[in-house]
């Protein structure tokens, strides 16, 4: 009992209200869904290490990895990376390693009278039944100053070992080095040069598909062929080769190999922000217009309601399109326009509520006791339309989210940010035609939009039932 | 043989929160040419009984027990198509005229014609002429057949409904709160019309009202309902002279007397019960000034008491 | 009379709004001055057309590759000229084709295409939505009721374009039952089949977009019908009808539905704007060469004359729909009398 008195009344009321909401099956489902989305939106960057359009995580247009459970494992692969760097001398050279590990190695190589060859390798065991889809390599070599005046040939190979024996070797790069400045080797299997080099220029097979087509051990090797009697230091950085498989993660990749799950997570954030802000603007405007019209009445009411009716008749999407087009498609503009076009219905509802409240005895009493218009509106009328506001807030958010998605889909979205609508636009644009739609790219954003809308609709309907006794009785 | 005999009628509504026990174990008889009044507070189940007799209950409602014997035949097991033949020709009903009992988007005449042509093979023109004479019978200008309900006054609407109910010469007429929500003078006119029709046409009638004094103007017999139960049943004289059930006594105290002399208005303390979870045994016991232990344990049966044709369900007798 | 006045007022309002948006918004000004001042995109005919379209100058003389002379107009000059242009349907030439907007709209068959799609989808959605709504209300609380309510809530919250994309993926790409887009197949340009063949192919092309638009529209209709029917069925006249011995069918479809249809008519008119919005999106998804798809392309081209015309015409359609629904309402409801 004593506890009860120490808790502020409004808190008790809120608790009871919240409890009622949770008791209702519909709103409990809605609230659960919504809190999941809010969590995703807030915790976004913690949930994924990538950025929506910055990180290339795998090959382009990869389906999700779990597809193997439906199609069988045949033909599918995942990403793999070469590891375990090792430097050794092959012929006629002595190698003194100063440091080696991770992606880098520093060593000095001394050759005998007939020259010599040293080799740095990394290894991978390709275990997937299907071939790889693409690979990208990187390497930067910095020779020491003793190289000046001599020439070293650097060759990059991919070697395949079966039963410990090398059974295939692909020469993917070579270059003669004669200066001590750093040079970089960045190869991408998709590039034309590499295709030509491997004799694949006329087929549409990616070199990665050719090379990583068997379950075997592979080595990524750099061979440095030294001239006779040379003693040169080398420092290697970024000695990496990434094999991109044909499936990726939970939701696959888009046209450029970006992670769709990451886009979805970041999209949740933007879509919720757009929906909520636009709704706040719309509901706020509607509240103000409705209160003013309802309370002041007469000519103000007439003018405002005439204007509201006119705005209601103007078709929404075309007006949105035209306005966003004219103002420029930034996220801020989209929010503002969605907000400024979303107040009319609510203004009407508030006005009629105020009109009926105005006739009630307690308003009359307040007026009789000399309270001012502003005071009465804030103190007596506003609290009585709060429930309407909640309901309308909940029911307007889906409209705003879908509105933004529609705009984005029509190409009027903010081109710098990833919302769910933008994802769908990209999914459609990338294929060039409708026959190139990829389910793992198209389905998730739509489900996101639908579920968020549904959660708000469920909450809105149950709020309505809670506040509207007529509905409650009829159930 | 009575025209209508209810035997233990029990009708409940299914809702999300459970069964609403709107009418339980209701039994009464209506003899030919006789008018029975069904009286009780609003929400006690009177309309439910009426709708049950015609079997036009809303979808959640069930007749769970009992018999409705009309013209020697039990209506409860009848199919909807068999019931349709009994409706209006056998039993017709007049709903409250102030409400939307007439469809607002059709002309009054057309609505009466629809009722006539549904049960008789007559031409449109003949039916319209019948509708005109029916309107005349209830005291409405026959030319008003071409009007819409909203062009009628409340009293005229009630009369038109009565005219429509007579369209197929029914054996039994149920009137659910006729004249309620109209002003007193119009209400009195409607009652006078009902009485004269009953005499002129020899109608059997069930008249439903929350007001005992209204029923007394027309009916010979009266059944008092409280929270879904019949609590008292008998001739109107017996009940007025000697109200037995504490609820009837309260009702009589709560309304102006029959001959205009005003009794002291004593309203019954307490609220009518929630029919989702009504009080056990005698449903009146929480409000009863004479409550005894047994009233809370066992439902009193309707038994003969007092003088003449008079039954009451109360342990006091 | 009041209705007519209201409608006229609305049209004036729409034209004014259009004028304000296209004239006074910084975007328009910027894009025009950009066109005028940026030497790289300076194209004298383009500029002349723009200046003429917006009536910025009473007279333009192009004096050199990067310069021109302009006698500026006042805003009132511009507004009155604009107003007259709009009500005479003189929308100027499309930037994309240099042909009059009205020509591109009608002669190319776009108007007919849109009307076909809208007509089919609206009719089906209204029929199905109303029918299912009536049945759901009649069987309130049944499995059918909760099923159809859930389904319409779902289609209600799914974005239209997403549903369209799904249909393309499933029915066009996977099952190959329908084409993924377009109005007619490309080979018709060379060889057109006989009439029956034409009809069947057209139906095939129409099917998916019409389905999408129907699903977009029917849910709201169903929910509203169900609500108004529930109300009507709880009214005493429905009970009177039943008591008369009318079959349930007649009670539902004659007595209750005629009452319930009153709010439906109003809603149909009010949601007409939304339906047109849905059509724009559906046409875009399915490359259905109607007015919506045209508007979508106009956005990419910054084809202001087309955008203005479309906005104006769509608004006119909605205004007309409201006007018609008001009249309908009067016919359906005897309680309303117009002077
Ligand atoms: N369709 C329905 N669903 C659930 N309960 C109902 C329904 N119709 C009536 N009731 C309940 O049944 C009881 C009796 O109602 P009713 O027969 O209309 O009373 P009366 O006609 O005496 O005023 C009331 O408690 C009412 O709330
Ligand atoms: Mg009643």
């Amino acid at each position: 009992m004593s506890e009860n008195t120490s808790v502020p009344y409004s808190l008790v009321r809120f608790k009871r209200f919240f409890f009622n909401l949770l008791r209702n099956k519909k709103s409990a489902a809605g609230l659960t869904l919504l809190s999941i989305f809010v969590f995703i939106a807030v915790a976004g960057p913690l949930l994924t290490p990538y950025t929506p359009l910055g990180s290339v995580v795998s090959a382009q247009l990869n389906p999700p990895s779990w597809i193997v459970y439906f199609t069988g494992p045949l033909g599918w692969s995942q990403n793999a990376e070469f590891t375990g760097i090792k430097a050794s001398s092959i012929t006629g050279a002595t190698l003194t390693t100063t440091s080696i590990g991770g992606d880098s190695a520093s060593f000095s190589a001394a050759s005998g009278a007939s020259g010599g060859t040293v080799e740095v390798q990394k290894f991978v065991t390709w275990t997937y039944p299907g071939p790889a889809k693409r690979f990208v390599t990187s390497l930067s070599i910095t020779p020491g100053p003793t190289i000046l005046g001599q020439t070293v040939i650097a060759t990059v190979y991919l070697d395949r070992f079966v039963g410990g024996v090398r059974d295939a070797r692909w020469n993917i790069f070579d270059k003669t080095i004669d200066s001590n400045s750093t040079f970089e080797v960045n190869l991408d299997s998709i590039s034309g040069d590499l295709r030509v080099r491997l004799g694949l220029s006329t087929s549409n097979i990616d070199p990665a598909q050719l090379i990583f087509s068997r379950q075997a051990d592979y080595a990524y090797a750099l061979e440095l062929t030294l001239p006779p009697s040379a003693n040169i230091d080398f420092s290697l950085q970024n000695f990496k080769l990434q094999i991109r498989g044909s499936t990726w993660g939970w939701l696959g990749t888009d046209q450029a190999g970006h992670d769709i799950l990451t886009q979805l997570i970041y999209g949740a954030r933007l879509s919720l922000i757009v929906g909520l802000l636009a709704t706040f603007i719309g509901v706020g405007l509607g509240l103000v217009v409705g209160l003013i019209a309802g309370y002041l009445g007469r000519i103000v009411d007439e003018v405002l309601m005439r204007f509201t009716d006119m705005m209601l008749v103007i078709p929404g999407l075309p007006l949105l399109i035209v306005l966003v087009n004219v103002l420029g498609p930034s996220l801020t503009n989209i929010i503002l326009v969605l907000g400024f076009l979303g107040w009319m219905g609510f203004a009407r509802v508030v006005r009629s509520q105020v009109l009926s409240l105005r006739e009630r005895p307690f308003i009359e009493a307040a007026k009789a006791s000399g309270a001012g218009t502003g005071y009465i509106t804030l103190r007596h009328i506003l609290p009585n339309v709060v429930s309407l506001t909640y309901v309308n807030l909940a029911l307007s958010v889906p409209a705003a989210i879908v509105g933004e998605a529609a705009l984005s889909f029509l190409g009027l979205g903010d081109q710098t940010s990833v919302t769910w609508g933008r994802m769908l636009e990209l999914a459609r644009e990338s294929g060039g035609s409708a026959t190139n739609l990829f389910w793992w790219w198209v389905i998730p954003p739509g489900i996101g939009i639908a579920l968020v809308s549904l959660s708000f609709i469920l909450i809105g309907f149950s709020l309505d039932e809670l506040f509207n006794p007529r509905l409650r009785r009829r159930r | 043989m009575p025209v209508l005999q209810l035997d233990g009628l029990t009708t409940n509504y299914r809702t999300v929160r459970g069964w609403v026990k709107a009418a339980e174990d209701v039994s009464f008889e209506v003899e030919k040419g006789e008018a029975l009044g069904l009286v009780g507070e609003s929400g006690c189940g009177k309309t439910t009984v009426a709708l049950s007799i015609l079997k036009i209950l809303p979808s959640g409602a069930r007749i769970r027990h009992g018999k409705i014997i009309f013209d020697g035949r039990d209506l409860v097991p009848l199919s909807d198509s068999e019931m349709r033949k009994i409706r209006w020709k056998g039993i017709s009903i007049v709903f409250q005229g102030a409400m939307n009992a007439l469809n607002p988007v059709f002309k009054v005449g057309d609505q009466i014609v629809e009722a006539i042509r549904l049960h008789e093979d007559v031409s449109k023109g003949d039916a319209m002429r019948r509708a005109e004479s029916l309107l005349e019978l209830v005291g409405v200008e026959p030319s008003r057949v071409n009007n819409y309900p909203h062009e009628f006054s409340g009293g005229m609407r009630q009369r038109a409904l009565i005219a429509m109910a007579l369209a197929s010469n029914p054996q039994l007429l149920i009137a659910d709160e006729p004249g309620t929500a109209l002003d007193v003078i119009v209400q009195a006119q409607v009652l006078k019309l009902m009485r004269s029709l009953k005499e002129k046409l020899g109608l059997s009638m069930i008249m439903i009202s929350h007001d005992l004094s209204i029923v007394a103007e027309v009916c010979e017999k009266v059944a008092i309902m409280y929270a879904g139960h019949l609590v008292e049943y008998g001739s109107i004289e017996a009940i007025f002279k000697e109200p037995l059930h504490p609820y009837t006594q309260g009702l009589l105290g709560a309304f102006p007397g029959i001959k205009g002399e005003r009794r002291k208005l004593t309203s019954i303390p307490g609220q009518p019960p929630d029919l989702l979870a009504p009080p056990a045994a005698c449903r009146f016991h929480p409000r009863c000034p004479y409550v005894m232990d047994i009233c809370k344990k066992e439902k009193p049966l309707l038994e003969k008491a007092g003088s003449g044709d008079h039954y009451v369900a109360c342990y006091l007798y | 009379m009041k209705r007519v006045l209201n409608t006229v007022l609305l049209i004036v309002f729409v034209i004014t709004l259009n004028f304000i948006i296209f004239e006074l918004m910084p975007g328009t000004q910027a894009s025009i001055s950009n066109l005028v001042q940026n030497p790289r995109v300076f194209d004298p005919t383009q500029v002349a057309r723009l200046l003429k379209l917006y009536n910025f100058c009473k007279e333009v003389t192009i004096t050199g590759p990067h310069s021109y002379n302009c006698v500026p107009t006042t805003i009132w000059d511009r507004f009155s000229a604009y107003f007259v242009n709009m009500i005479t349907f003189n929308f100027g030439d499309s930037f994309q084709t240099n042909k009059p907007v009205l020509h591109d709209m009608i002669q190319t068959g776009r108007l007919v295409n849109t009307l076909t799609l809208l007509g089919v989808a609206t009719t089906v959605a209204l029929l199905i939505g109303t029918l299912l709504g009536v049945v759901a209300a009649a069987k309130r609380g049944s499995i059918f009721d909760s099923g159809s309510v859930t389904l319409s809530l779902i289609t209600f919250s799914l974005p239209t374009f997403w549903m369209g994309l799904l249909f393309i993926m499933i029915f066009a790409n996977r099952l190959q039952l329908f084409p993924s887009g377009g109005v007619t197949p490309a080979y018709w340009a060379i060889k057109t089949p006989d009439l029956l063949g034409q009809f069947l192919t057209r139906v095939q092309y129409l099917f998916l977009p019409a389905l999408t638009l129907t699903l977009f529209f029917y849910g709201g209709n169903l929910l509203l019908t169900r609500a108004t029917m529930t109300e009507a069925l709880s009214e005493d006249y429905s009970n009177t009808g039943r008591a008369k011995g009318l079959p349930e069918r007649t009670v539902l479809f004659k007595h209750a539905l005629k009452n319930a249809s009153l709010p439906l008519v109003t809603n149909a008119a009010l949601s007409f704007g939304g339906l047109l919005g849905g059509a724009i999106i559906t046409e875009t998804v399915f490359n259905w060469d109607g007015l919506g798809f045209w508007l979508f392309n106009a956005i990419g081209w910054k084809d202001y004359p087309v955008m203005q015309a479309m906005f104006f015409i769509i608004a006119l359609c909605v205004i007309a729909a409201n006007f018609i629904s008001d009249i309908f309402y009067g016919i359906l409801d005897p309680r309303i009398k117009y002077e």
Side-chain angles (χ1 to χ4, degrees):
Chain A
M1 277 285 100
S2 59
E3 253 182 32
N4 253 354
T5 47
S6 65
V7 179
Y9 177 63
S10 60
L11 206 68
V12 174
R13 225 174 62 164
F14 181 77
K15 237 172 77 181
R16 193 170 312 144
F17 168 74
F18 199 71
F19 181 71
N20 269 333
L21 259 188
L22 279 181
R23 236 186 9 188
N24 181 319
K25 250 193 299 182
K26 267 193 269 173
S27 56
L31 280 173
T32 314
L33 257 178
L34 184 62
S35 28
I36 293 173
F37 277 108
V38 169
F39 172 74
I40 291 175
V42 172
L46 301 176
L47 297 176
T48 168
Y50 312 112
T51 56
L53 292 177
S55 339
V56 173
V57 294
S58 186
Q60 63 286 3
L61 294 175
N62 276 0
S65 297
W66 43 261
I67 192 173
V68 297
Y69 300 117
F70 295 95
T71 61
L74 239 67
W76 297 113
S77 60
Q78 293 183 26
N79 288 359
E81 188 133 12
F82 283 77
T83 52
I85 193 164
K86 200 183 96 185
S88 56
S89 153
I90 298 178
T91 51
T94 42
L95 190 78
T96 323
T97 314
T98 44
S99 81
I100 190 159
D103 303 328
S104 49
S106 304
F107 52 85
S108 53
S111 61
S114 54
T117 306
V118 294
E119 190 174 46
V120 185
Q121 288 169 297
K122 268 180 139 181
F123 306 92
V124 78
T125 306
W126 185 252
T127 56
Y128 298 108
K133 199 159 168 186
R134 186 171 171 183
F135 64 75
V136 283
T137 77
S138 62
L139 168 62
S140 68
I141 308 176
T142 317
T146 46
I147 195 172
L148 294 170
Q150 311 188 58
T151 53
V152 171
I153 298 166
T155 318
V156 180
Y157 295 105
L158 277 168
D159 298 331
R160 183 171 68 205
F161 298 89
V162 176
V165 180
R166 185 167 83 197
D167 82 328
R169 158 161 269 197
W170 292 273
N171 176 334
I172 57 174
F173 178 81
D174 58 60
K175 182 178 164 74
T176 307
I177 318 173
D178 54 9
S179 93
N180 67 338
S181 56
T182 303
F183 81 93
E184 311 239 341
V185 186
N186 291 311
L187 300 173
D188 188 332
S189 66
I190 212 166
S191 73
D193 291 355
L194 204 55
R195 286 162 164 273
V196 172
R197 190 179 188 100
L198 296 172
L200 290 169
S201 49
T202 51
S203 75
N204 53 11
I205 295 176
D206 190 285
Q209 272 172 294
L210 174 81
I211 298 170
F212 301 102
S213 60
R214 282 181 59 179
Q215 294 181 336
D217 293 323
Y218 289 88
Y220 169 42
L222 167 71
E223 274 191 18
L224 297 165
T225 309
L226 306 176
S229 312
N231 190 343
I232 306 172
D233 293 338
F234 290 96
S235 160
L236 309 185
Q237 300 291 332
N238 249 340
F239 184 59
K240 279 199 288 199
L241 193 151
Q242 221 181 55
I243 310 174
R244 296 194 173 148
S246 55
T247 64
W248 166 258
W250 290 59
L251 293 178
T253 58
D254 71 2
Q255 176 79 2
H258 302 134
D259 182 27
I260 288 179
L261 180 64
T262 302
Q263 296 182 351
L264 196 70
I265 289 171
Y266 278 82
R269 180 180 259 219
L270 283 186
S271 295
L272 276 179
I273 289 177
V274 171
L276 288 174
L277 287 185
T279 304
F280 279 132
I281 295 175
V283 168
L285 277 176
L287 198 59
V288 170
V289 172
L291 283 177
I292 291 177
Y295 198 77
L296 293 183
R298 284 193 291 266
I299 181 79
V300 180
D301 181 33
E302 180 68 27
V303 170
L304 281 178
M305 282 304 116
R306 205 22 89 75
F307 181 65
T308 308
D309 283 349
M310 286 182 175
M311 288 300 289
L312 264 178
V313 171
I314 307 290
L317 189 67
L319 185 56
L320 263 179
I321 291 175
V322 165
L323 276 178
V324 171
N325 201 19
V326 165
L327 291 174
S330 72
L331 215 52
T332 323
N333 282 345
I334 291 174
I335 292 172
L336 287 178
V337 171
L338 281 171
F340 278 101
L341 294 185
W343 56 271
M344 292 85 76
F346 187 51
R348 284 212 136 272
V349 174
V350 170
R351 169 186 172 265
S352 58
Q353 179 77 3
V354 173
L355 283 187
S356 82
L357 280 173
R358 229 170 44 159
E359 308 303 319
R360 301 270 183 84
F362 65 92
I363 302 288
E364 302 275 329
K367 243 192 266 182
S369 68
T373 305
Y375 178 81
I376 291 179
T377 311
L378 286 181
R379 188 88 191 94
H380 294 286
I381 294 193
L382 194 58
N384 280 293
V385 294
V386 163
S387 64
L388 285 176
T389 312
Y390 289 147
V391 174
N392 207 71
L393 270 176
L395 292 179
S396 302
V397 174
I401 289 179
V402 172
E404 186 278 331
L407 276 178
S408 289
F409 183 73
L410 292 174
L412 284 170
D414 188 333
Q415 301 297 311
T416 59
S417 42
V418 178
T419 61
W420 288 333
R422 269 275 289 163
M423 287 177 74
L424 285 170
E425 188 219 353
L426 291 172
R428 193 177 119 89
E429 290 293 292
S430 76
S433 74
T435 46
N436 272 326
L437 289 173
F438 301 95
W439 55 266
W440 60 89
W441 198 358
V442 170
I443 291 177
I447 291 191
I449 295 172
L451 286 184
V452 167
S453 304
L454 195 65
S455 70
F456 278 104
I457 289 176
L458 286 174
I459 295 171
F461 277 10
S462 2
L463 284 176
D464 204 20
E465 264 168 41
L466 210 65
F467 290 133
N468 192 340
R470 212 165 83 102
L471 267 175
R472 197 169 15 175
R473 203 180 50 221
R474 212 193 276 156
R475 278 194 80 231
Chain B
M1 192 182 71
V3 178
L4 179 83
Q5 190 184 356
L6 289 197
D7 188 3
L9 176 74
T10 300
T11 301
N12 290 178
Y13 295 96
R14 196 171 46 211
T15 65
V16 275
R17 295 192 296 151
W19 290 94
V20 177
K21 299 169 189 73
E24 298 243 293
D25 201 14
V26 175
S27 308
F28 57 71
E29 290 175 7
V30 183
E31 298 288 344
K32 190 154 176 46
E34 184 187 62
L36 171 89
L38 188 57
V39 178
E41 287 165 302
S42 170
C44 72
K46 305 178 298 288
T47 302
T48 305
V49 170
L51 298 183
S52 302
I53 294 172
L54 279 155
K55 297 222 306 182
I56 51 172
L57 290 157
S59 57
R62 281 295 117 73
I63 298 179
R64 303 183 89 188
H65 302 288
K67 288 190 183 131
I68 304 168
I69 296 163
F70 172 73
D71 213 9
R73 193 148 69 125
D74 186 7
L75 302 184
V76 175
L78 292 192
S79 73
D80 194 55
S81 59
E82 286 169 305
M83 270 315 290
R84 282 213 297 275
K85 286 178 207 136
I86 290 173
R87 288 177 197 147
W88 227 247
K89 244 185 126 46
I91 309 170
S92 68
I93 186 165
V94 178
F95 289 108
Q96 210 178 301
M99 310 298 276
N100 265 340
L102 284 167
N103 196 329
V105 297
F106 293 105
K107 286 178 183 165
V108 174
D110 290 342
Q111 296 187 51
I112 300 177
V113 166
E114 185 183 42
I116 296 172
R117 295 195 4 127
L118 202 58
H119 300 282
E120 273 171 78
D121 193 13
V122 291
S123 75
K124 250 196 178 123
D126 289 348
M128 190 54 90
R129 245 157 283 133
R130 275 257 295 280
E132 282 167 8
S133 62
L134 280 167
L135 280 187
E136 199 164 17
L137 178 70
V138 297
V140 176
E141 192 77 18
S143 61
R144 303 279 258 175
V145 283
N146 285 322
N147 283 157
Y148 286 97
H150 72 276
E151 292 161 316
F152 276 26
S153 70
M156 279 161 74
R157 252 179 280 168
Q158 187 69 69
R159 282 164 192 270
L161 277 166
I162 295 169
M164 186 158 78
L166 300 174
S168 307
N169 303 316
Q171 285 164 268
L172 174 70
L173 180 75
I174 303 175
D176 192 353
E177 313 243 5
T180 304
L182 298 177
D183 66 61
V184 192
I185 296 170
V186 182
Q187 194 176 354
Q189 288 171 347
V190 169
L191 288 179
K192 208 171 119 200
L193 171 70
M194 299 286 295
R195 197 169 49 217
S196 78
L197 283 175
K198 173 176 168 276
E199 274 150 25
K200 205 167 1 174
L201 306 173
L203 275 174
S204 316
M205 211 189 280
I206 296 177
M207 187 153 156
I208 295 173
S209 177
H210 59 269
D211 187 341
L212 198 50
S213 63
I214 285 181
V215 161
E217 307 235 340
V218 183
C219 303
E220 290 92 3
K221 265 195 323 198
V222 64
I224 313 283
M225 249 184 121
Y226 179 78
H229 285 166
L230 269 198
V231 294
E232 192 163 356
Y233 176 48
S235 71
I236 196 101
E237 290 82 10
I239 284 181
F240 264 89
K241 215 174 319 132
E242 191 187 10
L244 293 176
H245 199 280
Y247 176 64
T248 316
Q249 293 169 358
L251 265 187
L252 277 172
F255 293 104
I258 182 170
K259 296 279 181 289
E261 88 263 30
R262 298 192 75 88
R263 299 180 184 213
K264 197 161 149 258
L265 285 171
T266 55
S267 71
I268 310 164
Q271 292 287 315
D274 178 7
L275 294 184
L276 264 169
C282 176
R283 290 185 177 174
F284 190 60
H285 81 248
R287 292 169 82 183
C288 184
Y290 314 111
V291 59
M292 300 176 288
D293 270 352
I294 187 159
C295 303
K296 302 174 187 170
K297 291 199 186 97
E298 234 174 290
K299 187 187 167 218
L301 298 174
L302 204 58
E303 273 163 358
K304 200 157 171 39
S307 55
D309 204 12
H310 196 165
Y311 298 81
V312 68
C314 183
Y315 289 115
L316 288 175
Y317 309 97
Chain C
M1 206 50 230
K2 205 176 150 209
R3 241 123 266 287
V4 177
L5 200 77
N6 228 343
T7 307
V8 171
L9 212 70
L10 261 174
I11 295 174
V12 174
F13 177 71
V14 166
I15 295 180
T16 314
L17 193 70
N18 220 351
F19 179 75
I20 291 173
I21 292 171
F22 282 96
E23 258 258 356
L24 304 182
M25 285 291 171
T28 319
Q29 301 277 14
S31 70
I32 289 172
S33 59
N34 195 34
L35 261 171
V36 172
Q37 278 150 23
N38 189 344
R40 266 188 307 154
V41 293
F42 189 88
D43 168 7
T45 48
Q46 187 87 321
V47 172
R49 193 179 323 127
L50 273 174
L51 294 176
K52 200 179 96 195
L53 175 76
Y54 291 104
N55 234 334
F56 275 121
C57 307
K58 282 200 179 95
E59 239 170 75
V60 202
T61 41
I62 297 176
T63 52
H66 296 173
S67 61
Y68 63 93
N69 269 339
C70 170
V71 185
T73 50
T74 66
I75 186 166
W76 292 113
D77 287 339
R78 293 204 286 278
F79 182 70
S80 54
Y82 185 85
F83 192 87
V84 171
N85 279 343
M86 281 287 153
I87 52 173
T88 53
F89 282 38
N90 175 12
F91 302 120
D93 294 351
S94 156
F95 287 180
Q96 296 168 74
T97 59
N98 287 335
K99 294 209 181 89
V101 168
L102 221 51
H103 167 273
D104 277 6
M105 183 173 137
I106 297 166
Q107 262 90 318
T108 52
R110 290 198 176 100
L111 185 63
V112 174
N113 287 345
T114 291
L115 289 180
T116 313
L117 177 61
L118 266 181
V120 169
T122 316
T123 314
V124 176
L126 278 178
L127 282 179
I128 293 183
T130 310
L131 192 72
L132 294 186
V134 169
V135 177
K139 299 186 171 181
R140 212 180 149 79
S142 67
I143 295 180
F144 177 87
D145 178 34
S146 40
S148 50
V149 167
T150 311
L151 204 69
S152 28
L153 272 182
I154 290 174
T155 54
F156 210 62
S157 41
L158 292 186
T160 327
F161 49 95
W162 187 65
M163 262 197 289
L165 290 178
L166 280 192
F167 289 153
I168 292 178
M169 280 196 313
I170 298 168
F171 296 111
N173 297 354
R174 184 61 46 121
L175 302 177
Q176 311 242 316
L177 290 175
F178 300 98
S180 64
V183 181
T184 52
Y187 70 85
W188 278 18
I190 303 159
K191 181 176 169 292
T192 319
D194 61 85
L195 274 179
L196 180 68
Q198 266 193 38
F199 177 74
L200 291 180
T201 313
R202 274 183 188 279
V203 169
Q204 227 185 357
Y205 274 79
L206 179 64
F207 187 84
L208 288 183
L211 177 66
T212 310
L213 200 53
T214 304
L215 285 182
F216 166 72
F217 193 47
Y218 99 99
N221 208 36
L222 186 153
L223 292 177
L224 189 66
T225 308
R226 179 176 171 275
T228 55
M229 277 298 287
T230 307
E231 188 100 38
L233 284 174
S234 71
E235 293 277 5
D236 270 346
Y237 55 77
S238 299
N239 271 337
T240 307
R242 285 193 198 104
K244 275 188 202 173
L246 290 175
E248 194 61 23
R249 216 172 346 108
T250 317
V251 175
L252 282 179
F253 288 98
K254 184 176 166 193
H255 285 262
L257 188 56
K258 191 162 179 200
N259 281 279
S261 63
L262 297 172
L264 290 182
V265 168
T266 318
N267 178 63
L270 273 180
S271 58
F272 190 64
L275 185 65
L276 289 173
I280 294 174
I281 289 183
T282 310
E283 289 188 2
T284 307
V285 173
F286 290 95
N287 293 334
W288 182 265
D289 192 14
L291 301 182
F293 187 52
W294 190 37
L295 175 61
F296 166 71
N297 285 328
I299 297 170
W301 276 79
K302 296 232 172 243
D303 194 344
Y304 287 114
V306 170
M307 290 202 292
Q308 292 191 45
M310 282 309 300
F311 180 76
F312 180 62
I313 286 170
I314 290 176
L316 268 192
C317 289
V318 176
I319 293 170
N322 277 284
F323 186 70
I324 292 170
S325 99
D326 270 345
I327 292 175
F328 241 108
Y329 204 101
I331 294 172
L332 281 173
D333 190 346
R335 284 164 291 193
I336 291 181
K337 282 275 167 292
Y338 296 120
E339 61 279 21

